[in-house]
Amino acid sequence: MNFDVVIAGGGPNGLMVASELALAGLRAVVLEKLTEPTGEQRANGMAGQVVQLFHRRGLYGRLTGDPSPPVPVPQYMFAAFPLPLADLADNPVYTVLVPQRRIEAVLAERALELGVEIRRGHSVTGFTQKDDSIVVSVDGSDDIEARYLVGADGGKSLVRKLAGIDFPGFTSDRTVSRTAHVTVPPSWRDPVTGGLLVPGYGVIPPFLHHRAERGLIAFAPFPDGRTLLSVNTFDLPEGAEPFDLADLRAASAHVFGVDIPLGPPAGDGPHLLRRLSGGQTRLAEHYRAGRVFLVGDAAHVHSAIGGPGLNLGLQDAVNLAWKLAASVHGWAPEGLLDTYEAERRPAGERVTMHTQAQHLLVGPGAEVSAMRTLFGELLEEPAVRRRIAELIAGSDRRFVPDLGELTHSGRPLLVDNTGTLAAVAAPWRDRVDVVTAPVPGATAMLVRPDCIVAWTSSSEHPDQDSLRAALAQWFG
């Protein structure tokens, strides 16, 4: 076998899987049906623990051009409510505002540096599973035999369908989302907040969803000069084909009762001009079928409200990759591969839950307005805001604090600041690195490659038996 793992799909999730596998010494090939990176405008950034994950792999500075580590944001949003976060200790919400094409470019560059083969213009057409391998049929090239196949091929995943994995959920057809890069006259910009100043209505704050009785609007003036306007309407017909700025302007007038003078976008493209009817919420019944695994949209599709998609999918990728590597290297404890679904499917359930909840809270009607009044009062409580912040960030698990370059390698780490644990970890020295580093509130900590804490101690004499059990549980 020339490759250990075949990855179907060369988007962010597939490229992240490939890079993590290569860090662990595996041979990976990415099959991407597009011959060139798409110029289509997709996500506008990342929010949640994935930002910290990029930093822990040494990719954050490459992505942003800023060598400083990321800092949590003082405010975010939930269901078109502003979510103040500055008063929360250990605020878990981080963001980075870069277009998805930049994220893909950085991940592709990283994968190539690590020796990943990226084959563009090729896609999976079928596969046959064997006892110890999988034979993948590829459009435009010979079959590839590997140990595993990862489906990172989107919401319409052929890999998922061929694996016979159900994709239950529902489709909603009440809403139409219209989004485009635009320009607005300077007089329509609020000089204090930078938001959209709508005469007779008020200010639409920047980078926050704003709910009105007839719809939802988001106004995003990005630092690079691009301005994005998104209008989500309820029970309003789609409009004429093809979609254009006049349709977007009519939809915004429907929501606010004011004609906003929208102009074409300035500067070089690509520029977004997209209209989507309805939406889907679906979660794969299983994330694994034998030697086939699903990550990202192949495993879950949901509303984009709050921007949870890349946070969820890229954490899928990092969780899966080290477990596949452990299996290929032969030291995976029994059942390790099954922990991928056991850990990540509940995370998918949480995201589909809170995006559905947010959609209910931004909907039309007096009943929703009453619910919003109550929910707004609950958000005044720090404990409630903390709970929602952790939901947004995907922080249901405990992540390791910043250890600098120690996490760049993707190796399991035993942080031992007591000097007593090297002998305990000696049987795992080929797969776990023993290091020292300041860790707030702990004297020792066992860290998985996906930066999740597997064991911790605050004692100067840590319990060695519990450490051995944790090492055996996760590292064979």
Side-chain angles (χ1 to χ4, degrees):
M1 290 181 284
N2 293 327
F3 298 100
D4 297 305
V5 181
V6 176
I7 301 159
N13 300 314
L15 292 169
M16 180 63 92
V17 172
S19 294
E20 292 289 301
L21 291 170
L23 276 178
L26 267 61
R27 300 158 299 168
V29 58
V30 176
L31 304 177
E32 170 52 55
K33 65 180 179 180
L34 297 178
T35 57
E36 297 291 339
T38 178
E40 181 183 344
Q41 179 68 30
R42 294 178 178 175
N44 291 291
M46 298 185 294
Q49 281 294 329
V50 67
V51 178
Q52 283 285 71
L53 180 61
F54 265 62
H55 174 58
R56 290 177 176 121
R57 287 295 189 262
L59 296 172
Y60 178 77
R62 184 184 295 196
L63 186 65
T64 64
D66 183 354
S68 304
V71 296
V73 291
Q75 178 173 286
Y76 199 63
M77 57 186 172
F78 187 85
F81 286 96
L83 188 67
L85 301 169
D87 63 333
L88 298 184
D90 300 322
N91 173 8
V93 181
Y94 294 77
T95 65
V96 58
L97 296 178
V98 293
Q100 181 171 322
R101 63 181 182 275
R102 172 62 183 160
I103 298 170
E104 289 187 12
V106 167
L107 289 173
E109 181 181 73
R110 177 63 165 156
L112 292 171
E113 290 172 359
L114 293 168
V116 174
E117 186 172 334
I118 301 175
R119 297 184 183 178
R120 291 195 167 275
H122 297 281
S123 56
V124 172
T125 60
F127 54 80
T128 302
Q129 299 204 47
K130 300 182 178 180
D131 290 341
D132 58 356
S133 67
I134 185 168
V135 179
V136 181
S137 301
V138 182
D139 182 26
S141 73
D142 295 336
D143 292 354
I144 302 173
E145 187 170 7
R147 294 288 297 277
Y148 298 102
L149 169 64
V150 175
D153 50 343
K156 297 179 180 180
S157 170
L158 179 62
V159 170
R160 184 189 65 240
K161 295 173 183 176
L162 293 174
I165 299 175
D166 288 339
F167 204 39
F170 66 90
T171 300
S172 170
D173 58 3
R174 284 197 65 191
T175 62
V176 177
S177 172
R178 300 167 174 88
T179 307
H181 283 111
V182 299
T183 55
V184 295
S187 60
W188 286 67
R189 296 287 297 274
D190 179 49
V192 177
T193 66
L196 182 64
L197 180 59
V198 182
Y201 186 88
V203 175
I204 309 302
F207 302 107
L208 295 172
H209 287 112
H210 178 83
R211 183 252 183 189
E213 286 291 339
R214 290 187 171 187
L216 187 72
I217 192 168
F219 179 73
F222 288 96
D224 63 4
R226 299 173 302 132
T227 297
L228 195 69
L229 181 69
S230 179
V231 178
N232 201 42
T233 55
F234 303 92
D235 303 320
L236 181 70
E238 254 197 24
E241 292 288 351
F243 173 55
D244 56 18
L245 288 184
D247 189 10
L248 178 63
R249 189 167 177 169
S252 62
H254 169 80
V255 173
F256 295 112
V258 177
D259 183 26
I260 302 175
L262 304 177
D268 297 331
H271 298 302
L272 182 60
L273 184 66
R274 182 175 64 201
R275 180 174 60 196
L276 298 174
S277 295
Q280 295 197 52
T281 298
R282 298 187 180 277
L283 188 65
E285 186 173 21
H286 296 290
Y287 280 25
R288 177 188 185 185
R291 294 185 172 274
V292 178
F293 294 82
L294 306 177
V295 299
D297 289 355
H300 39 69
V301 295
H302 47 77
S303 167
I305 190 168
L310 286 175
N311 187 40
L312 182 62
L314 290 168
Q315 286 195 59
D316 289 347
V318 178
N319 185 293
L320 174 62
W322 77 268
K323 296 171 181 177
L324 291 177
S327 177
V328 172
H329 287 314
W331 56 258
E334 185 177 356
L336 181 66
L337 288 178
D338 290 329
T339 68
Y340 170 63
E341 178 175 325
E343 292 181 345
R344 295 309 299 164
R345 195 172 188 279
E349 290 174 342
R350 297 285 284 170
V351 169
T352 55
M353 175 274 290
H354 78 68
T355 53
Q356 290 178 69
Q358 289 187 71
H359 256 290
L360 285 175
L361 284 167
V362 300
E367 302 94 336
V368 174
S369 295
M371 179 64 76
R372 288 183 64 83
T373 298
L374 175 60
F375 195 81
E377 293 176 3
L378 294 175
L379 286 178
E380 296 175 4
E381 297 294 331
V384 175
R385 283 184 280 117
R386 158 64 66 179
R387 184 70 170 268
I388 292 177
E390 291 177 346
L391 189 65
I392 291 168
S395 299
D396 294 346
R397 307 290 298 276
R398 183 180 179 185
F399 289 84
V400 66
D402 188 0
L403 298 180
E405 294 184 3
L406 290 174
T407 53
H408 287 192
S409 68
R411 293 267 298 174
L413 300 174
L414 174 59
V415 182
D416 176 20
N417 295 324
T418 70
T420 66
L421 301 176
V424 178
W428 291 269
R429 67 168 59 92
D430 63 325
R431 67 204 71 160
V432 179
D433 295 337
V434 181
V435 299
T436 60
V439 179
T443 58
M445 183 175 285
L446 183 63
V447 183
R448 301 184 342 184
D450 53 5
C451 296
I452 288 175
V453 175
W455 171 91
T456 187
S457 174
S458 58
S459 170
E460 291 298 328
H461 302 283
D463 182 347
Q464 296 185 1
D465 288 340
S466 65
L467 173 58
R468 288 189 185 92
L471 284 163
Q473 177 185 359
W474 294 110
F475 308 119

